[in-house]
Amino acid sequence: MRAWAELLRVSALFTVPGDALTGAAALGVRPNRSTALAVGASLCLYEAGMALNDWADREEDAIDRPHRPIPSGRISPPAALAAAGALTAAGLALAARAGRSSLAVGTALAATVWAYDLRLKHTAAGPAAMGAARALDVLLGATATATATATATADVRERAKPAPAGPGTGGRAVVAARKPGNTASAQAGVAAAARTSPPAAPRTPSPGIGTGAGAAGGTGPWAGLRTALPSAALLGAHTVAVTTVSRREAQGGSTAAPLAALVATGVLGTLAGRPPDGFVARGGLRDVPRRVTGAGRPVAAVLAAAPALAGALALLYAGTAGKPLLHAALNPSPPLTQRAVGGGIRAMIPLQAALAARGGAAGIALGVMGLVPLARTFARKVSPT
């Protein structure tokens, strides 16, 4: 069990659920069953990438990391490859349960993971491919959540449609008007139907749909994908920076990579802590996703605190990633470079939380931060790098 925990790097697994939750928060809607399916798919595909990574690097690890599970003989290469295939299939199956659009994004994510591990890792395109995988993970959560929200909206509107006219009312008159030979009475029949049919019920929005950018632009799967693009881009950029540093974690000696990542961390922290345009207007809330309690009252106090929470979490992100990066830039030894990579991985959680709070989802942000103690506990037992 310990060998498999090392192969799959279970301590890094806690950085994954926040991707889908960040995508849902960007839409201004509550997470739903499809969001949970997206989280499950993300976890499976992430672990598939970990197993495939060690399988692809087994010869390199035999020289640089002989203690890893495969070169040490604790796990065989065929077993690691089979695990990668099984986890990929499970991830795609969960994505398919969330909808066809989610399966499309999940397939793109799986293809990116396999392309990175088997071909792109040791090329100049490696960091960009890893960043694309993290961004696609966010979009998977957004697409799955938007699909379920759109379905719920359609169901509510279908139930709100007026009932068809009963026997003896205008419905029979319309049928009669449509029969051949009754053309002379067509107008009278339609008029009778209009008089006896009940008025159309007002359309009711789906519970949980916000009034922010996600709802305003539509809650279909592809509309949700577009709305979540800014958050996906920020998480993807952070991943690119960390991956660039990790390429030298076994050898060290690179000052430029951790220094560039340090600058990127400052820029990303500033952007993550800044509310999107229209969130706050002259001290008042505007276009904020309105999450509604069971009594139907907006949680205005929580929404008002979301920008401040986003700023605090962005500072926490910058500190978590920035301090070890600064040490690695000053002394690019292998141990300090590995600590910088580990810090960048751990910083993923406060960055996800900051982006969720930035979208007005303070509850999701706090829930994501609840994963930090678990990540720290497991990191003491199994290295995330």
Side-chain angles (χ1 to χ4, degrees), residues 41 71 79 142 145-146 168 186 236 304-305 349 358 374 380:
T145 304
I349 296 178
R358 179 176 180 265
L374 294 173
R380 297 189 188 102

Side-chain angles (χ1 to χ4, degrees), residues 245 247-258 328-329 331-337:
V245 176
R247 290 159 77 91
R248 299 286 300 178
E249 67 176 334
Q251 298 83 17
S254 173
T255 299
N331 180 13
S333 63
L336 290 181
T337 303

Side-chain angles (χ1 to χ4, degrees), residues 3-351:
W4 281 103
E6 292 179 9
L7 180 77
L8 300 176
R9 295 171 178 82
V10 294
S11 59
L13 196 61
F14 298 97
T15 68
V16 178
D19 288 342
L21 293 173
T22 298
L27 306 182
V29 300
R30 292 191 183 97
N32 48 46
R33 176 178 176 273
S34 292
T35 312
L37 290 171
V39 170
S42 300
L43 292 171
C44 289
L45 294 175
Y46 187 86
E47 294 291 50
M50 292 298 181
L52 186 63
N53 174 79
D54 276 27
W55 180 85
D57 285 352
R58 60 192 184 280
E59 295 180 0
E60 176 185 331
D61 286 347
I63 299 173
D64 294 335
R65 308 173 188 87
H67 61 280
R68 295 292 299 161
I70 294 179
S72 65
R74 289 176 291 159
I75 294 178
S76 67
L81 183 60
L87 286 166
T88 299
L92 292 177
L94 289 171
R97 290 288 303 274
R100 286 180 294 180
S101 56
S102 300
L103 177 60
V105 177
T107 301
L109 173 57
T112 304
V113 168
W114 280 72
Y116 172 81
D117 284 331
L118 299 181
R119 174 68 68 176
L120 301 176
K121 182 190 308 182
H122 299 296
T123 69
M130 183 65 83
R134 181 66 71 164
L136 285 169
D137 206 21
V138 177
L139 298 180
L140 175 60
T143 305
T145 304
T147 299
T149 302
T151 302
T153 303
D155 290 344
V156 170
R157 288 177 175 174
E158 183 67 24
R159 290 194 298 269
K161 285 183 178 179
T169 63
R172 193 161 54 190
V174 172
V175 174
R178 290 176 179 169
K179 290 183 179 180
N182 289 331
T183 55
S185 59
Q187 293 181 349
V190 172
R195 287 194 301 269
T196 56
S197 297
R203 292 185 176 182
T204 305
S206 174
I209 296 178
T211 60
T219 53
W222 304 118
L225 187 148
R226 291 192 301 270
T227 304
L229 273 177
S231 296
L234 292 179
L235 281 167
H238 172 75
T239 305
V240 169
V242 175
T243 305
T244 302
V245 176
S246 72
R247 290 159 77 91
R248 299 286 300 178
E249 67 176 334
Q251 298 83 17
S254 173
T255 299
L259 187 59
L262 182 61
V263 173
T265 298
V267 174
L268 294 174
T270 301
L271 294 175
R274 180 184 302 168
D277 294 339
F279 190 92
V280 177
R282 305 189 182 206
L285 297 176
R286 185 184 70 184
D287 296 336
V288 180
R290 294 168 64 87
R291 288 163 182 80
V292 180
T293 65
R297 292 174 301 185
V299 193
V302 176
L303 292 176
L309 179 61
L313 291 171
L315 287 175
L316 179 60
Y317 154 73
T320 303
K323 184 178 179 179
L325 283 171
L326 178 60
H327 291 166
L330 296 175
N331 180 13
S333 63
L336 290 181
T337 303
Q338 291 169 13
R339 289 182 186 177
V341 175
I345 294 174
R346 291 191 299 274
M348 192 74 69
I349 296 178
L351 177 58

